[in-house]
Amino acid sequence: MRKPKPKTIIGTDQARRVIWMYNRFLEGNSYASAEMYEEIIKTFKVNISLRTVQRDLRILHEMIPNMEQVNVGRQVYWQLSKNALTPLYLSKIDANDKLGFYFLKAYLKQFKNSVISDELQKLSKKIEKIADGNLYIEESFNSIAEHGKYDYQKHNVFFEDLLQAIINKQWLNITYRDLFTTEIHHQFALFRGFFFFRGSILFIAFVPRKHGDLAIPLENISNSSPAEPYNDYVPEFNAKAFFENRYGVSDGPLINVELQFLPEIAPLYASRQWHPKQEVFPQSDDSVIIKFPIMMNAEFIKWVMSIGKGLKILSPQILIDQVKEQCEAVLRLNS
């Protein structure tokens, strides 16, 4: 009777190398023995032989059944089989997840010549296993200019200064212009973070005199200088609360709106979420009434006006009056 093959016992250093190899293979890479040897020497800074690395690969092969050897010409490459590289959750990814992966893969290509290009290449290989092919039209990132484009190159140094202020939690004295007016403000502020919205880089800043957080476009900030720390209580920034009842980024009074979308546009607007707390009421004439709370700011009024003749504002009256005032101003200017 044939004796069972004894299990291979490996030491600590060898275990570290084998685990490191396995992680490289999990990234979708394939290596010839000589290539893996060079990577091991470079990473671990050790004096070992090629034969030692070949033994490590054979041990990994014993431990991982999905390790395979592929002949390419006269060269033999080690790699994990495609089944081993397929994520266990892949079958559970729904359409929205897959859309996100296609978007991410296309967006990452914009950084292909940056300082993190090597790391991005590895990440892109992983994403490729979920979102196969180049299906997202990446040119759309730079060609659709619905909100215009702003050249931020002249703001590079200023942008870096604001980032450092956020990291160091440094209070600043700032001079900035309102989003939709020419009014200039001089304020004491603590910057929280930044985001990209409608062609602009916006910073969230806590301004004690305003009793809360503001969104300020980078291009609207004309000056900043270090300030002494603020000694009173500063609340944590709640991003969900900040954005939840806000269409756009500017401030305004909170109102409860009731909008009726006429039959010709009702399917489009009823099928989308405009607010996390919206209520949708289909009507017998095929129109739809949608209700939700929202800040009545400049962006929301512009959005309501952009819908055109297919929309009837049922309430509140203050919104109806604001839209009428804006429409009359447009007519006067263009008559």
Side-chain angles (χ1 to χ4, degrees):
M1 183 176 178
R2 181 179 296 178
K3 294 182 179 180
K5 186 177 180 180
K7 292 183 178 180
T8 304
I9 299 175
I10 62 178
T12 303
D13 291 340
Q14 190 176 35
R16 289 176 59 229
R17 294 196 303 271
V18 170
I19 292 171
W20 184 89
M21 289 178 181
Y22 183 52
N23 285 327
R24 300 291 79 74
F25 287 123
L26 281 174
E27 292 174 355
N29 300 312
S30 58
Y31 293 94
S33 298
E35 292 174 341
M36 181 58 79
Y37 170 72
E38 291 176 1
E39 292 291 326
I40 290 289
I41 295 297
K42 183 169 60 177
T43 302
F44 289 91
K45 306 291 191 297
V46 291
N47 184 21
I48 58 175
S49 66
L50 173 61
R51 188 177 295 275
T52 299
V53 172
Q54 290 171 335
R55 281 198 297 267
D56 292 345
L57 286 167
R58 285 196 294 272
I59 288 172
L60 183 59
H61 191 199
E62 291 176 11
M63 298 168 62
I64 309 297
N66 289 317
M67 281 293 298
E68 61 184 15
Q69 292 176 294
V70 178
N71 294 314
V72 180
R74 295 183 178 181
Q75 189 66 271
V76 178
Y77 287 87
W78 293 85
Q79 65 182 32
L80 281 171
S81 67
K82 289 185 178 180
N83 290 337
L85 290 171
T86 302
L88 296 176
Y89 60 85
L90 185 58
S91 60
K92 298 180 181 178
I93 290 178
D94 61 23
N96 287 337
D97 290 329
K98 204 154 195 175
L99 171 63
F101 283 118
Y102 274 114
F103 177 88
L104 177 61
K105 187 170 68 170
Y107 190 73
L108 289 176
K109 288 184 180 179
Q110 298 188 93
F111 301 90
K112 62 183 178 181
N113 295 321
S114 69
V115 294
I116 57 171
S117 56
D118 291 342
E119 288 77 8
L120 288 180
Q121 188 174 7
K122 295 176 182 178
L123 178 58
S124 295
K125 284 184 178 180
K126 290 185 177 181
I127 298 174
E128 184 70 25
K129 296 175 178 62
I130 301 170
D132 186 25
N134 298 314
L135 307 187
Y136 192 95
I137 302 173
E138 58 197 74
E139 289 80 6
S140 65
F141 288 124
N142 298 313
S143 61
I144 299 174
E146 179 185 356
H147 304 287
K149 297 179 181 179
Y150 190 88
D151 184 2
Y152 282 104
Q153 290 188 8
K154 59 185 178 183
H155 292 277
N156 281 347
V157 175
F158 195 32
F159 181 71
E160 291 283 349
D161 290 342
L162 292 180
L163 294 186
Q164 285 302 313
I166 295 171
I167 293 169
N168 298 326
K169 297 183 178 180
Q170 170 71 57
W171 284 84
L172 299 174
N173 290 312
I174 61 170
T175 302
Y176 70 95
R177 179 172 54 83
D178 268 345
L179 195 58
F180 295 106
T181 72
T182 57
E183 188 175 352
I184 302 296
H185 299 275
H186 304 279
Q187 296 287 2
F188 177 59
L190 177 68
F191 283 74
R192 315 275 209 166
F194 71 96
F195 62 99
F196 191 77
F197 180 71
R198 292 183 177 175
S200 287
I201 297 173
L202 292 106
F203 281 84
I204 296 289
F206 176 74
V207 180
R209 289 182 188 173
K210 298 289 185 179
H211 308 290
D213 292 286
L214 304 179
I216 309 173
L218 174 59
E219 59 268 30
N220 284 22
I221 305 172
S222 57
N223 189 40
S224 74
S225 60
E228 292 297 320
Y230 183 63
N231 294 323
D232 289 350
Y233 170 72
V234 177
E236 290 291 326
F237 175 59
N238 187 330
K240 181 181 178 182
F242 182 86
F243 290 108
E244 185 177 50
N245 292 322
R246 197 182 302 258
Y247 190 91
V249 295
S250 62
D251 286 325
L254 186 64
I255 59 174
N256 290 303
V257 299
E258 188 173 348
L259 307 175
Q260 183 174 14
F261 298 88
L262 301 187
E264 57 265 33
I265 64 171
L268 170 63
Y269 287 89
S271 63
R272 300 184 178 218
Q273 185 186 57
W274 303 100
H275 191 281
K277 295 180 181 177
Q278 73 182 31
E279 296 178 274
V280 180
F281 302 93
Q283 303 298 298
S284 58
D285 63 352
D286 292 331
S287 67
V288 168
I289 293 175
I290 302 180
K291 301 178 182 180
F292 52 88
I294 196 75
M295 281 187 181
M296 192 180 70
N297 57 17
E299 295 103 313
F300 181 67
I301 294 171
K302 291 177 187 295
W303 175 74
V304 169
M305 293 176 64
S306 72
I307 297 172
K309 63 180 182 179
L311 173 67
K312 182 178 181 180
I313 305 169
L314 301 180
S315 67
Q317 186 62 42
I318 187 174
L319 177 60
I320 297 172
D321 294 341
Q322 282 288 327
V323 170
K324 283 182 177 179
E325 183 180 318
Q326 292 285 333
C327 289
E328 289 168 358
V330 171
L331 288 172
R332 285 195 301 270
L333 188 63
N334 293 279
S335 59

